Amino acid sequence: MLTTLTVFTLKPGNKRWGLAQMGTSPPTLKRVPGLQFFKLLGSGAANGFGLWPNLDRYGFMGVWDDAAAADAFFAQHPLWATYRQRSTELWTLQLAPLKSHGLWDGKTPFDYPNAQAAPENAPVAVLTRASIRLRKTPRFWQFVEPTSAALGQAVGVRAAIGLGELPVVRQATFSVWESAQAMQEYAYRDARHREVIKLTRSEQWYGEEMFARFAVLGSQGTLDGQNPLAGLGLPD
C-alpha cells in the first residue's frame, strides 16, 4: 500500500473550476481502481493557515492498494490529466505511515496491514486533522495563526501547509521535516505548540481528530517554485 499527497496550484483564471472540483470530482475518484481512501482539500490564505480560502491552491490525498495503482492514476487518468493542464505546478509526496491514531470520518486509513518498516534516515511528514466543534471555532482560530507562523519557521521544517475539507470547521496541518529529531524537538520545545495541544484537550475543541506520522519515500514537482525536499536524496 502507498499514501500520496499532492498540492497543486492553479493557473490564473481557474478559481471557479477548482472550487467546483470539490463537489464534482469525488464521484469519479470513487471509481478509480486501487484508490482505497481519498480526500480533496482546500487551502487558506497565509500558506493555508488563514481563515479565508485560497482559491488557487488545493490538495489531494490518497491511499492506494500499491504504487502501481497510484502511478497509473497520475500518469493516465483523464481526470488527473485535467488537473495537470489547469495547474501551474504540482508537488507530490509518496508516504509510508509510521504511526497514527484517531479517526478521519470514522475511518483509520493509514493503518496498513503488513506495513513495511520505513527507511531509518528518511525525512518525515506529519498530518494533524480535526473536525472543530462549532462553538469552539473562535478559540481555535485565535491560536492557529501564531502557532502556524512558528511552525513555518521551525528548525528543520521543509514545508508546512494548512489544508481543509470545509472552511473554518474541518482543518488539517501537513508539515514535512528533515528528520524525526527535528520534528520532535519542535513538538516538545515550542511553548506555543505545547499550549495549543493542552487547550485542545482541556477545552475539547474537536469532535473528531487524527494524528499521523509518515516516512517520506519520494518527492516530485514543486511548491512555490522549488522541490521542498531537494538535496535529501529522495527519488524525484
Side-chain angles (χ1 to χ4, degrees):
M1 293 177 65
L2 178 72
T3 295
T4 62
L5 175 74
T6 300
V7 179
F8 53 97
T9 306
L10 298 176
K11 294 176 180 176
N14 283 280
K15 286 184 172 69
R16 186 173 296 178
W17 176 87
L19 185 60
Q21 297 314 300
M22 298 292 285
T24 60
S25 287
T28 301
L29 290 168
K30 288 177 181 178
R31 299 192 298 270
V32 171
L35 181 57
Q36 294 194 5
F37 176 90
F38 71 88
K39 289 294 177 181
L40 278 172
L41 305 163
S43 183
N47 204 31
F49 298 108
L51 182 60
W52 300 107
N54 176 358
L55 298 180
D56 293 317
R57 179 163 285 175
Y58 292 85
F60 166 68
M61 192 163 211
V63 179
W64 306 88
D65 285 347
D66 50 36
D71 291 345
F73 172 76
F74 289 123
Q76 303 169 14
H77 199 283
L79 177 64
W80 196 250
T82 305
Y83 275 73
R84 289 199 310 269
Q85 292 164 4
R86 291 181 178 266
S87 298
T88 185
E89 63 175 0
L90 300 95
W91 178 44
T92 298
L93 293 168
Q94 290 82 38
L95 305 166
L98 298 173
K99 60 182 293 187
S100 70
H101 60 78
L103 300 172
W104 196 337
D105 288 346
K107 300 178 181 177
T108 55
F110 309 119
D111 289 349
Y112 289 9
N114 304 317
Q116 300 293 312
E120 248 180 66
N121 299 317
V124 298
V126 176
L127 172 74
T128 57
R129 177 267 171 193
S131 295
I132 307 159
R133 300 181 193 276
L134 190 60
R135 67 182 184 277
K136 300 295 184 180
T137 53
R139 288 286 283 169
F140 174 86
W141 287 102
Q142 175 185 346
F143 284 91
V144 72
E145 186 174 356
T147 305
S148 300
L151 174 62
Q153 299 301 315
V155 174
V157 71
R158 286 296 187 101
I161 185 169
L163 299 167
E165 299 157 81
L166 290 173
V168 183
V169 295
R170 286 192 175 186
Q171 297 296 312
T173 298
F174 189 84
S175 57
V176 187
W177 302 78
E178 293 178 357
S179 66
Q181 180 180 353
M183 181 272 297
Q184 290 166 347
E185 287 179 356
Y186 166 78
Y188 296 122
R189 295 183 183 180
D190 187 89
R192 287 161 294 195
H193 180 265
R194 294 199 312 272
E195 180 184 17
V196 169
I197 296 299
K198 182 179 179 181
L199 287 170
T200 63
R201 301 289 183 264
S202 63
E203 299 185 9
Q204 298 183 332
W205 288 1
Y206 305 145
E208 182 185 64
E209 62 181 310
M210 167 169 277
F211 169 89
R213 185 186 302 174
F214 306 85
V216 181
L217 307 179
S219 172
Q220 292 86 40
T222 62
L223 179 70
D224 295 329
Q226 62 181 354
N227 185 334
L229 297 182
L232 296 184
L234 294 170
D236 56 23

